[in-house]
Amino acid sequence: MLKTEIEYDYILSALGRRLRPNAIRKLTKLLGSKEVISLAAGAPSFETFPLEELAEISARVIRERGQSALQYGPTKGQGALVEAVSGILQSRGILDSKPAQIVMTTGSQQGLDLIARVILEPGDVALVELPSYIGGIIALHNAGAEMIGVRQDDGGIVISDLKEKIDRVRSEGRRLKCIYTIPNFQNPSGVTLEAERRNELVDIADEHDLLIIEDDAYFDLYFTEDASRLVPLAALRPDRVVYLGTFSKVLAPGLRTAWLRAPEELAEKVELAKEGADISSSMLDQAIVIEAIREGLIERRLPELRAFYKIRCRAMLDALGRFAPAGSRWTEPIGGFFILMELAAEADATAMLPEAIDGGVAYVPGQPFFVDGSGANTLRLAYSKESPETIGDGIQRMCRVFQNAKAQSKA
Ligand SMILES: Cc1ncc(COP(=O)(O)O)c(C=O)c1O
């Protein structure tokens, strides 16, 4: 029988055609079955998952409240959880947080996707940090946004560059809608936005009527006293900021429980978009998170989590100090999971990755995080997955590859 090849291209929407694979997920294929030290994986360590407690809570929730926990639920989220999130927001200084402004989402990733779809039209411009979180870039891209990068230095977004980019976009007559920012312990750079620049940023957003999408996935995972007092942009301008938080990093990402807080009108639109996406987030996951909050499981473990990641961060910084090639530099995070390393200008982190993997270590090349295509000489290093000793070994192996490449390029 003749096999007919069916063409599907004609059937794709503009979005269908726009969709492209995540550059980081492609890396997993490169790793194959190799046993390598992974400084690439940006997930929380499974060692931090409170398995026994969650097993007990899950069994109890199903036994005692299974009829509602296994049912469909309200699109905006379980009432008790929305109330609890309102309390969390108050404790972060976002005082004016009513349940009507909150939508529970299936991970912050869904929040990013929904808000992008609700506010952006193909051709609209969104400003993003250079570099920025891949998942945020994907959500904005899928919504059709054109992204313009704003430079960061060790204090976060460079305000003069922000102003310049806004002026340029405006003078070209393009419609600038929003700025997507991760002010605390950014993924992928580990950089934190300075207090003064937070005020400047919200003033500029006021002046140019921009919406700020503030992704605060790592808020609780700080390493210093100063970092414990960081003020969210949403606390400064609640009516101009869509604020995203998540339980992924402090409990477990598999529970896919997160929230979005927005001015009421926008929250309503997000809720309507969510209804079409998944009716509601998992009621079982939400019920487990509610119990974890009620029992103080999350709050109680935060000091341990901070110490856990701080030690790993220190191990990576120490190893970089010992082994990094001359001419390279790296960020010094005060929280979160990531360090961004910058090699000499001519280095190519993507080209050196296969050799690093052969040498037993993986990292993520930085370029996909830069929407302007720069960053070829940068890489993201995650200290969340491996033990402090293994991190030291991994950095040593990686830096050996970098040193060799440098020696060869000179030869
Ligand atoms: C900055 C940032 N935002 C959002 C997310 C997604 O988190 P969630 O598990 O809540 O979808 C991540 C996960 O890596 C992240 O790093």
Side-chain angles (χ1 to χ4, degrees):
M1 208 166 67
L2 269 179
K3 187 172 171 288
T4 45
E5 287 278 325
I6 303 179
E7 293 282 338
Y8 293 103
D9 224 36
Y10 80 96
I11 215 164
L12 291 177
S13 66
L15 167 64
R17 275 190 287 273
R18 205 157 48 235
L19 294 171
R20 58 186 183 206
N22 174 348
I24 296 184
R25 294 215 166 213
K26 278 202 287 193
L27 180 75
T28 334
K29 286 194 194 135
L30 197 62
L31 290 176
S33 57
K34 288 195 184 110
E35 281 290 317
V36 297
I37 296 176
S38 180
L39 309 178
S45 165
F46 62 78
E47 292 167 59
T48 67
F49 301 160
L51 298 181
E52 285 308 316
E53 291 92 335
L54 287 179
E56 192 277 319
I57 289 175
S58 311
R60 182 154 38 88
V61 159
I62 292 177
R63 211 175 290 119
E64 294 175 8
R65 289 194 277 130
Q67 288 173 345
S68 60
L70 296 172
Q71 188 53 279
Y72 293 112
T75 303
K76 72 185 269 85
Q78 243 266 34
L81 188 53
V82 172
E83 287 289 344
V85 165
S86 169
I88 292 173
L89 290 166
Q90 307 271 347
S91 73
R92 295 185 184 188
I94 308 166
L95 302 177
D96 181 26
S97 294
K98 301 187 237 352
Q101 298 167 325
I102 297 165
V103 182
M104 298 308 302
T105 56
T106 303
S108 277
Q109 189 59 46
Q110 186 187 42
L112 290 169
D113 182 68
L114 294 176
I115 189 62
R117 285 201 280 138
V118 160
I119 66 165
L120 292 164
E121 229 135 23
D124 285 349
V125 177
L127 298 172
V128 301
E129 290 153 342
L130 289 173
S132 184
Y133 167 56
I134 280 282
I137 293 175
I138 290 174
L140 294 166
H141 170 80
N142 290 354
E146 284 182 31
M147 281 167 276
I148 306 275
V150 180
R151 251 180 342 103
Q152 290 189 102
D153 60 18
D154 290 339
I157 286 178
V158 175
I159 297 295
S160 58
D161 196 48
L162 174 64
K163 288 181 179 163
E164 215 174 279
K165 298 286 164 55
I166 293 175
D167 288 346
R168 193 191 309 164
V169 174
R170 286 269 147 91
S171 71
E172 288 165 357
R174 293 198 279 169
R175 197 163 47 184
L176 178 58
K177 286 255 177 88
C178 63
I179 172 155
Y180 169 57
T181 175
I182 305 155
N184 295 325
F185 335 128
Q186 201 227 28
N187 179 4
S189 69
V191 158
T192 294
L193 185 63
E194 281 174 357
E196 212 178 293
R197 295 192 199 179
R198 290 177 192 239
N199 287 308
E200 290 176 305
L201 178 56
V202 293
D203 284 346
I204 291 173
D206 275 345
E207 193 184 326
H208 294 276
D209 204 14
L210 298 180
L211 188 74
I212 297 175
I213 302 174
E214 179 178 23
D215 182 350
D216 211 358
Y218 299 92
F219 177 88
D220 281 312
L221 298 180
Y222 52 79
F223 305 151
T224 66
E225 268 297 298
D226 282 354
S228 71
R229 287 191 290 270
L230 292 164
V231 180
L233 302 169
L236 301 173
R237 269 318 174 282
D239 55 350
R240 197 160 272 296
V241 179
V242 174
Y243 182 84
L244 300 137
T246 179
F247 293 102
S248 286
K249 320 292 176 182
V250 293
L251 193 57
L255 292 169
R256 306 308 298 130
T257 303
W259 73 85
L260 173 149
R261 183 240 179 245
E264 209 168 315
E265 263 176 73
L266 286 179
E268 272 169 23
K269 292 289 184 191
V270 167
E271 185 182 343
L272 292 172
K274 181 175 164 65
E275 196 178 347
D278 65 0
I279 302 175
S280 82
S281 296
S282 156
M283 288 292 281
L284 179 58
D285 290 347
Q286 292 183 73
I288 293 169
V289 173
I290 294 167
E291 275 317 293
I293 294 172
R294 280 196 186 133
E295 292 177 11
L297 178 63
I298 299 178
E299 201 59 36
R300 191 165 66 240
R301 294 169 63 253
L302 286 177
E304 282 168 43
L305 288 184
R306 290 174 191 133
F308 181 92
Y309 290 116
K310 184 178 177 174
I311 290 170
R312 290 174 177 219
C313 178
R314 192 66 259 162
M316 187 172 275
L317 289 171
D318 288 347
L320 284 168
R322 283 182 62 196
F323 302 116
S328 55
R329 61 186 292 276
W330 52 90
T331 54
E332 298 219 0
I334 51 172
F337 291 172
F338 306 106
I339 289 174
L340 191 82
M341 184 177 191
E342 190 180 325
L343 301 168
E346 64 282 2
D348 183 342
T350 307
M352 290 188 288
L353 183 60
E355 207 176 315
I357 292 173
D358 280 346
V361 61
Y363 57 81
V364 181
Q367 199 163 28
F369 300 101
F370 289 78
V371 295
D372 64 354
S374 64
N377 62 330
T378 67
L379 50 137
R380 187 190 76 177
L381 298 168
Y383 44 80
S384 51
K385 177 164 183 275
E386 305 284 4
S387 71
E389 301 70 42
T390 314
I391 287 172
D393 286 349
I395 294 288
Q396 187 173 11
R397 289 181 194 186
M398 181 188 80
C399 291
R400 205 177 295 138
V401 171
F402 294 165
Q403 299 278 18
N404 287 343
K406 206 169 160 183
Q408 273 168 20
S409 74
K410 281 195 182 138

